[in-house]
């Protein structure tokens, strides 16, 4: 073969080897499986960027993101309470990004330094199985104090705060109800312990347990109980603690070390948009949207009618590691 022809072949081969691989992102998703699948598919349809997800509870997501910090396996973290995002920010795991949609997000529902943004809000509630409660001689639970009733021995579904954002929201709610006293909050959790069937790794599992009559009541975000009702479990009733309840601000962030940061930022822009935040009910997800252009669904919790504690996400996030450690040592070991 002539030298010129050989050179041409080498150039063409090099060009082929250097061709960029198909653009793709992987999302660590902290909401329900159906919602996660819908979100990544709709993003791909809208952008042409291939996307997949791994469903992880917030504690699991934080641990995997931290473990892979040198060779990050995810590009975006989407969903799950923002307390964990605050903890991740403190460990340098998030890549700050101010989205072009940032101005559409409700004031105070995003990190001031643009490390993460709120994507939805959910209110902590009791998911009551009215038949199971009636067999125990009880009405639907409407207060944290009622949850300690001896007739609920082994009848309460709750997750473990080491793995579940729902459970950490529950724990921090009691810190707030106790005026910031962590000892008092842990004392309440110890009193509740005999009534807990087992500590799940995922918060939303409590709604399923209540629906299937494994327990009489689950402590979940209200939209998880509503989703279970819509799956054909009519004996479920949502109530809210009369003393006051906490809420989650679901987070969204680009991860430090993302393999495709440009597409990760594109995902964040899309997820914060009004078009994206209108999709929740299609997956039976009735959390409150954070985009001011999207009205709350009629099945979402109404903050105007529910007594909410003053839940400081930043303070809760900074306290998480130590407080969860105390829960494991003083209340219950690792989740089942």
């Amino acid at each position: 073969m002539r030298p010129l022809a050989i050179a041409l072949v080498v150039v063409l081969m090099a060009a082929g080897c250097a061709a960029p691989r198909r653009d793709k992102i992987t999302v660590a998703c902290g909401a329900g499986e159906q919602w996660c699948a819908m979100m990544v598919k709709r993003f791909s349809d809208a952008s042409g960027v291939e996307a997949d997800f791994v469903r992880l509870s917030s504690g699991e997501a934080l641990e995997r993101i931290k473990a892979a910090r040198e060779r990050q396996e995810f590009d975006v973290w989407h969903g799950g309470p923002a307390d964990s995002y605050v903890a991740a920010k403190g460990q340098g795991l998030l890549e700050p990004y101010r989205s072009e949609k940032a101005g559409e997000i409700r004031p105070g529902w995003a990190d001031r330094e643009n490390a993460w943004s709120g994507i939805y809000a959910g209110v902590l509630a009791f998911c009551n199985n009215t038949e199971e409660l009636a067999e125990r001689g009880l009405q639907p639970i409407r207060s944290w104090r009622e949850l300690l009733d001896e007739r609920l021995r082994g009848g309460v579904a709750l997750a473990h705060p080491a793995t579940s954002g729902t459970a950490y929201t529950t724990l921090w709610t009691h810190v707030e109800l106790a005026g910031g006293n962590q000892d008092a909050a842990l004392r309440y959790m110890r009193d509740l312990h005999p009534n807990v069937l087992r500590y799940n790794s995922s918060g939303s599992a409590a709604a399923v347990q209540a629906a299937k009559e494994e327990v009489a009541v689950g402590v979940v975000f209200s939209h998880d109980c509503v989703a279970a009702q819509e799956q054909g479990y009519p004996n479920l009733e949502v109530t809210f603690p009369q003393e006051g309840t906490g809420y989650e601000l679901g987070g969204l962030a680009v991860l430090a070390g993302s393999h495709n940061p440009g597409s990760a930022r594109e995902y964040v822009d899309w997820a914060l948009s009004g078009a994206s935040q209108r999709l929740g009910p299609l997956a039976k997800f009735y959390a409150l949207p954070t985009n001011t252009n999207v009205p709350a669904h009629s099945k979402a919790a109404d903050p105007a009618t529910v007594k909410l504690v003053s839940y400081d996400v930043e303070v809760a996030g900074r306290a998480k590691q130590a407080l969860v450690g105390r829960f494991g040592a003083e209340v219950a070991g690792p989740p089942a």
Side-chain angles (χ1 to χ4, degrees):
M1 186 179 291
R2 294 180 180 178
L4 181 58
I6 293 173
L8 181 59
V9 169
V10 171
V11 169
L12 290 173
M13 289 178 63
C17 293
R21 68 182 180 85
R22 186 179 179 186
D23 197 11
K24 180 179 179 179
I25 61 169
T26 301
V27 178
C29 192
E33 190 90 12
Q34 185 179 358
W35 183 83
C36 295
M38 178 183 67
M39 285 294 167
V40 296
K41 183 180 186 306
R42 291 297 187 104
F43 168 72
S44 291
D45 291 345
S47 67
V49 176
E50 185 181 350
D52 60 13
F53 75 95
V54 178
R55 199 283 161 189
L56 297 166
S57 63
S58 64
E60 293 169 328
L62 181 57
E63 287 305 310
R64 280 192 48 177
I65 291 166
K66 182 167 58 176
R69 70 163 68 226
E70 299 302 325
R71 297 187 63 183
Q72 189 54 253
E73 60 180 313
F74 303 111
D75 300 282
V76 176
W77 190 4
H78 190 187
D83 308 329
S84 293
Y85 290 71
V86 172
K89 175 189 174 184
Q91 297 173 51
L93 300 174
L94 307 183
E95 186 69 41
Y97 171 57
R98 179 172 173 78
S99 169
E100 62 186 27
K101 299 294 183 181
E104 299 177 16
I105 303 305
R106 298 178 192 279
W109 283 19
D111 179 59
R112 289 186 293 271
E113 297 175 335
N114 302 310
W116 56 267
S117 181
I119 194 71
Y120 60 77
V123 179
L124 200 63
F126 300 134
C127 188
N128 300 273
N129 186 301
T130 54
E131 285 193 355
E132 181 65 24
L133 284 166
E135 289 182 8
R136 294 170 181 256
L138 293 166
Q139 296 293 317
I141 305 303
R142 298 182 185 279
S143 80
W144 294 110
R145 187 55 48 190
E146 289 176 16
L147 208 62
L148 302 178
D149 194 302
E150 291 185 356
R151 288 172 290 180
L152 283 173
R153 288 288 186 262
V156 176
L158 186 67
H160 196 290
T163 56
S164 164
T166 307
Y168 186 69
T169 301
T170 303
L171 178 55
W172 191 258
T173 293
H174 285 281
V175 173
E176 295 288 2
L177 287 170
N181 188 327
Q182 295 186 15
D183 292 336
L186 289 165
R187 187 161 53 248
Y188 173 85
M189 300 306 293
R190 287 195 296 272
D191 290 343
L192 178 61
H193 179 76
N195 289 2
V196 177
L197 177 64
R198 63 177 177 271
Y199 292 94
N200 305 314
S201 60
S202 170
S204 60
V208 177
Q209 289 175 284
K212 295 183 175 180
E213 299 184 356
E214 294 178 19
V215 296
V217 59
V219 181
V220 295
F221 293 119
S222 64
H223 54 259
D224 289 325
C225 193
V226 173
Q229 288 174 324
E230 294 204 340
Q231 290 169 7
Y233 295 98
N235 296 326
L236 297 180
E237 181 178 336
V238 178
T239 57
F240 297 95
Q242 62 187 17
E243 302 98 326
T245 192
Y247 58 91
E248 68 164 336
L249 184 58
L252 173 69
V254 176
L255 291 171
S258 165
H259 293 287
N260 289 293
S263 295
R265 290 190 287 268
E266 187 177 354
Y267 184 94
V268 168
D269 292 339
W270 176 83
L272 292 176
S273 70
S276 170
Q277 293 201 19
R278 287 185 177 88
L279 296 174
L282 297 179
K284 302 186 186 303
F285 186 76
Y286 299 107
L288 296 164
T290 60
N291 189 301
T292 55
N293 297 320
V294 182
H297 193 277
S298 60
K299 293 182 180 180
D302 183 358
T305 62
V306 178
K307 184 177 180 181
L308 299 177
V309 300
S310 179
Y311 197 102
D312 191 319
V313 173
E314 292 287 339
V315 175
R318 289 194 295 269
K320 185 171 186 176
Q321 185 174 359
L323 186 56
V324 168
R326 287 191 63 187
F327 183 94
E330 301 176 29
V331 180

